[in-house]
Each structure stands twice: as structure tokens, then as C-alpha cells.
DNA sequence: GCAACTTCTTAAACTACTTCAAGTTTTTTT
DNA sequence: AAAAAAACTTGAAGTAGTTTAAGAAGTTGC
């Protein structure tokens, strides 16, 4: 059940038998029902989560009480509140399954221990974070330069597999506009 | 002249004499005049930059031909286009000095070599990226939940040292509104 | 110390998007 | 199969921000 993660890691570095075993020992496997939370706002985020199967999201609840999705994750993607994790401060985010999902959780204390025993993995996580941070720079670029309609079409063209899986109101909030406006874009009434 | 970086690294890991020397050998020191570019859109970003003294920014030029600042950096901060760096694809970003600055550049080829010789540094860069990505998650949260005026006051309260150093029109574009609107916020005419 | 350039301000007209409210369709539960 | 809940659509009214244009103030270079 840990194979997808091991495969993902081996795209970046190679592990021997012993290292793979140490890795396995640090991991926890979880199955999640749709809408089940991995993290609740107010909690310290003690884990990083790797999605084996399914689809999850990060979201916040804004001042008006609406959920605002800030990030999606599907297979082979890591999710966490990295600042809460890093500083061990309460999070503002929820992490929630959008579909029934299977995920791997690694707890910070086990992660730190694992990284001492298998320092090669520092490289893997550095590379994952480098890509993620780079993607986040691009995301800010698109938020700053594209109109709502452009962001919608760009997202659909870039990630067609997502559009099928996530409710529109979540996509609207991720793209930073209202669900009503998304309806209008789709109907060509903009 | 590399002391500030070595101090920064030693907040996260410790290096012996030999490792410090290998590090020094990989670094390039540069002085920059105000408005000088470290990266020009269209180029592949082959470096990561650490600011010793001064102030720099990432920006793009949007469809209307306006500069849009997406990131600021001051002392002890790393700047790069991490996706261009990672994938070795042309960048959409400019990296530019806002003040006369002193920076350390490390070229990707030297970085990779250094990380093989001093694998401990993988940990340093992982931790730097983890913090940066976490900060970026928070930034998206604020962009999504705060009004223009709230973003301005929040930025001023959180980073008072910046407001003195950067022109308002750059701050306005970083906060994702027009310079004219920033004038109105400051005048209390909103 | 003047000229040239850069940055900031103001106000009026405009627009991309939100909000509200009601109705329809789809999905889930029993 | 019915009932309940969740998700989507539509249109009218409102607003947070942009755009344009002109002038004022501040900086920099020679």
C-alpha cells in the first residue's frame, strides 16, 4: 500500500532495502470517507499527507462563514499546512477529503527521526518543495494577471482531470470568484 | 562577505571548516545598482540568489505592459524563479534590485555539485523552502480573504520596515490593486 | 541649481465581479 | 421510490475596485 509513494520518491532518489524499510516504518496508512477532515482549523498541523488514491483539499472558513478552497491535491501530491507544521502553531486551514480517499500520513516526530536515519530523503523533500513553491509562484502570477474567465478556462485546459472530480463551487472559490459567476461563465453569459 | 549566508545556514545546520570552504567555493558575490536585473523574462533562471544587503523583487510585465511585483526580498532572503530553475524552462519573471544591493548567487550546476559534496545542505534548503512554501500558503489565504484596504494595513503592520523602502506603486501591485487606489486608502477616501 | 524624470494624488466615469433571492436540477439517504 | 440535502442556475441591484487624464510633489543627474 506504500508503493505509490516509494515509486514517487524513486523518481528523485534511489533507496536500498534497509532505507525503504525505515521509510515504511515511519508511515501511517489511512482511509478517508468523503468530507472527512485530516486537519481542523485551530489544531497544530503535525503531519504531512501524501495522497495514494482520491482527492483532497485545503480550505479556510472566511469572515462570512463561507468555505474558501486554497489548494487541491490528487494522487501523488503532498498536502499540509507547512507553516503550522514548521512553526508548530495552530493552523487556519482545514484539510478534507473531497472523495473517499487513501492517504499516507507521516507525523513530524517520525519524519524528523526518519530524516536523520535516511538523510537522502532530505533531497527528495527539498525537490518536492522546490517544485511546489515554483508552482505557487506561477499561481500568484496567474491570479494577478488573468480575469476570472481566463482563470477558469486556463484551469480547465491545464487540469481537465480535476474539473470532472471537484464540485464547481469549490473550483470557483479556488479560482477566487463566486459560484454564481462560474455559472455565468459556463453559460457564456459574461 | 559570505558571513551573513553562513550565519543563516548555521541557524538550521552546522558546518565544519571543510564544508564551509566547499560552500564558499560554490558562491558568487555580486553588487547591484538600483534597477539592475538579475533575471530577465525569457531567460532560463540558472541561479538562486541570497540577499546580503539591500532589497530586490520579482515582477512580471502584464498584458497592458505594466510591471506587477509578485515578491519582495530583503536581507537573508532567497529569491529565484524556482519553477524555471527546476525545469530549466524560460522564465516569465524579472528579478531586479530595488536599492543598490549586495547578493550571493549560486548557479544550479554548482549547487548540484555542492549538494553532492555537502549533503547536509539539502536539509538547509529543504527547511528554507518549507518555510517559504508555508508563507506562500498564508499569502494566498490573505489574498483570498482580505479587501484591498485590509491587505494594505496588514502589510504595513506586519512589515513596517518594508513600507519605508519600497515605492508605493510596487507595493500596490504586490497587494494586487492599482497605485491610484493605494493613494485613496492612504488619504482615507475609500 | 535647473532640468528631467519618477512617483504620488485627485476626481469622474466605468466595469468586473458580488450579493441576494428564488427556482431548478442532481445526488444522497432512507 | 420518496424525501431530504447538496449543488447549480438565473437575473436584478449593488459595489469594490479600475481606468483615464491631468497636475503636484519629490528625486536624481549634470
Amino acid at each position: 500500500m506504500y508503493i505509490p509513494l516509494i515509486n514517487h520518491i524513486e523518481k528523485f532518489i534511489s533507496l536500498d532495502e534497509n532505507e525503504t524499510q525505515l521509510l515504511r516504518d515511519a508511515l501511517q496508512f489511512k482511509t478517508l470517507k468523503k468530507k472527512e477532515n485530516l486537519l481542523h482549523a485551530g489544531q497544530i498541523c503535525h503531519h504531512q499527507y501524501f495522497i495514494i488514491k482520491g482527492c483532497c483539499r485545503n480550505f479556510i472558513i472566511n469572515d462570512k462563514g463561507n468555505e474558501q478552497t486554497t489548494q487541491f491535491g490528487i494522487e501523488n501530491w503532498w498536502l499540509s499546512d507547512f507553516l503550522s507544521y514548521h512553526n508548530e502553531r495552530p493552523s487556519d486551514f482545514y484539510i478534507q477529503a473531497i472523495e473517499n480517499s487513501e492517504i499516507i500520513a507521516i507525523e513530524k516526530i517520525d519524519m524528523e527521526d526518519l530524516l536523520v536515519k535516511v538523510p537522502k530523503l532530505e533531497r527528495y523533500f527539498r525537490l518536492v518543495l522546490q517544485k511546489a513553491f515554483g508552482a505557487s509562484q506561477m499561481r500568484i502570477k496567474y491570479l494577478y494577471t488573468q480575469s476570472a474567465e481566463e482563470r477558469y478556462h486556463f484551469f480547465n485546459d491545464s487540469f481537465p482531470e480535476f474539473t470532472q472530480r471537484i464540485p464547481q463551487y469549490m473550483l470557483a472559490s479556488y479560482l477566487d470568484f463566486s459560484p454564481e459567476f462560474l455559472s455565468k461563465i459556463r453559460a457564456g453569459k459574461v
Side-chain angles (χ1 to χ4, degrees), chain A:
Chain A
M1 59 196 176
Y2 297 142
I3 302 291
L5 174 55
I6 292 167
N7 288 342
H8 191 251
I9 292 174
E10 295 203 323
K11 283 185 196 158
F12 297 92
I13 59 169
S14 53
L15 296 175
D16 65 30
E17 286 265 309
N18 179 46
E19 289 163 341
T20 307
Q21 192 52 52
L22 287 164
L23 170 63
R24 283 172 188 271
D25 293 345
L27 305 176
Q28 300 162 34
F29 183 83
K30 286 196 182 196
T31 57
L32 292 175
K33 292 240 160 101
K34 186 171 170 172
K35 303 227 165 170
E36 204 172 331
N37 283 336
L38 284 165
L39 176 68
H40 192 286
Q43 295 175 338
I44 295 172
C45 183
H46 289 297
H47 296 83
Q48 294 187 34
Y49 300 106
F50 182 82
I51 302 170
I52 298 289
K53 191 166 187 324
C55 186
C56 303
R57 62 170 180 150
N58 282 20
F59 70 93
I60 48 175
I61 296 189
N62 66 20
D63 293 348
K64 287 167 201 141
N66 298 325
E67 294 177 0
Q68 189 112 17
T69 299
T70 57
Q71 205 151 126
F72 293 113
I74 52 173
E75 287 80 9
N76 290 333
W77 195 253
W78 285 94
L79 281 184
S80 186
D81 174 350
F82 287 93
L83 208 63
S84 169
Y85 177 91
H86 187 89
N87 296 332
E88 306 185 17
R89 315 283 315 176
S91 177
D92 296 327
F93 291 91
Y94 296 77
I95 303 180
Q96 186 184 70
I98 299 175
E99 307 168 351
N100 295 340
S101 300
E102 297 170 10
I103 62 114
I104 291 172
I106 180 161
E107 193 168 348
K108 186 168 181 177
I109 193 166
D110 298 320
M111 173 75 105
E112 288 303 311
D113 188 50
L114 175 65
L115 289 168
V116 170
K117 290 181 185 153
V118 189
K120 258 186 218 174
L121 286 170
E122 297 276 6
R123 180 176 178 83
Y124 166 70
F125 287 107
R126 174 181 67 86
L127 290 167
V128 164
L129 282 163
Q130 194 167 85
K131 273 181 77 169
F133 184 70
S136 163
Q137 289 183 303
M138 287 308 281
R139 177 165 170 207
I140 285 177
K141 181 199 137 182
Y142 290 123
L143 279 173
Y144 277 25
T145 56
Q146 295 181 331
S147 69
E149 189 170 9
E150 285 167 342
R151 293 198 297 279
Y152 173 69
H153 292 306
F154 184 80
F155 185 91
N156 271 347
D157 294 349
S158 307
F159 312 103
E161 71 279 22
F162 267 91
T163 315
Q164 314 310 317
R165 291 172 80 165
I166 56 183
Q168 283 181 47
Y169 74 93
M170 283 186 198
L171 178 56
S173 76
Y174 176 78
L175 295 175
D176 202 17
F177 49 75
S178 67
E180 291 88 345
F181 197 66
L182 180 46
S183 260
K184 285 170 199 170
I185 291 172
R186 284 163 53 93
K189 292 183 184 169
V190 175

